[in-house]
Amino acid sequence: MTPLPTPKLDGLLARLRARLVGHVRRYAIGRFLLVGSAGLGLLFLADLALDLPGPIRALHLALLLGSLGYVGWRYLSRPLKAIPERVGLAALLERAHPELFELFTSAAQLSAAEAESETQRGLISSLVTRAEARASEFELGAVEDPRAPKRALLGGFGALLHADQK
C-alpha cells in the first residue's frame, strides 16, 4: 500500500513548525542582544573606572564571547533541536484543541502505515479525509503564544539602544 497523501495536514504542521522556529530565533536574538549589550557595558565601565591592563581586557573579552556562545547554545541550538517532528507537532495542536480527540496524531501516524485489509484501508482513508477537512479550516492562533519571544526581542533591542546612548 502506498502512503495516503495528507497535503493540508502537512501544510498545517509545516506552518506550526515555521512559527515555532521563528519564535525560538526571535527569543535567542533578544537574549543574545541583551547579554551582549550588558557585557559590553560592564567591560566599558570596568575599563573606564579601573584603567585595566591589556591581558585583563582580553580575559574579559574572552569571557564575554564565551557567555555569548553559551547564550547561542542555550537559547537557539537546544530549543531548535527540541522542536518535535510531524507526530509531535500534531500532538501540540491537539493539546491546545482537545476536541480533536487525537485526529491529527492518528492521521499523521496512520497515513504512512500499511493496511492489512481493505477494511483497514477504508478506515484509515476515512480518518485521513476527516483530518484533511479539519486541517483546511484550522487556525494556529490558540496553539502558540508569541508574546515571550517578542518581549525578549524588544528587550534585547532596548538594551542595545540604551547601551548605544551612553
Side-chain angles (χ1 to χ4, degrees), residues 101-126:
F101 299 109
E102 298 184 9
L103 178 66
F104 290 158
T105 305
S106 299
Q109 290 174 335
L110 294 175
S111 66
E114 290 288 329
E116 295 177 7
S117 68
E118 277 303 312
T119 306
Q120 284 182 347
R121 178 150 173 81
L123 291 173
I124 292 172
S125 177
S126 170

Side-chain angles (χ1 to χ4, degrees), residues 22 25-38 148-166:
R25 287 181 179 161
R26 281 188 288 281
Y27 196 84
I29 290 170
R31 292 296 176 201
F32 193 81
L33 290 174
L34 182 67
V35 168
S37 299
K150 285 180 182 176
R151 277 195 304 262
L153 188 61
L154 290 175
F157 278 123
L160 183 66
L161 291 174
H162 183 69
D164 188 40
Q165 296 288 326
K166 291 185 177 185

Side-chain angles (χ1 to χ4, degrees), residues 55-117:
I56 300 297
R57 288 180 188 168
L59 175 66
H60 285 170
L61 183 61
L63 289 173
L64 176 62
L65 293 176
S67 64
L68 289 175
Y70 172 76
V71 166
W73 170 78
R74 172 68 175 86
Y75 294 108
L76 185 65
S77 178
R78 256 181 65 196
L80 285 177
K81 290 178 185 173
I83 294 177
E85 294 301 322
R86 187 171 187 247
V87 175
L89 290 170
L92 284 176
L93 290 173
E94 291 164 350
R95 187 178 296 165
H97 294 276
E99 71 274 4
L100 290 172
F101 299 109
E102 298 184 9
L103 178 66
F104 290 158
T105 305
S106 299
Q109 290 174 335
L110 294 175
S111 66
E114 290 288 329
E116 295 177 7
S117 68

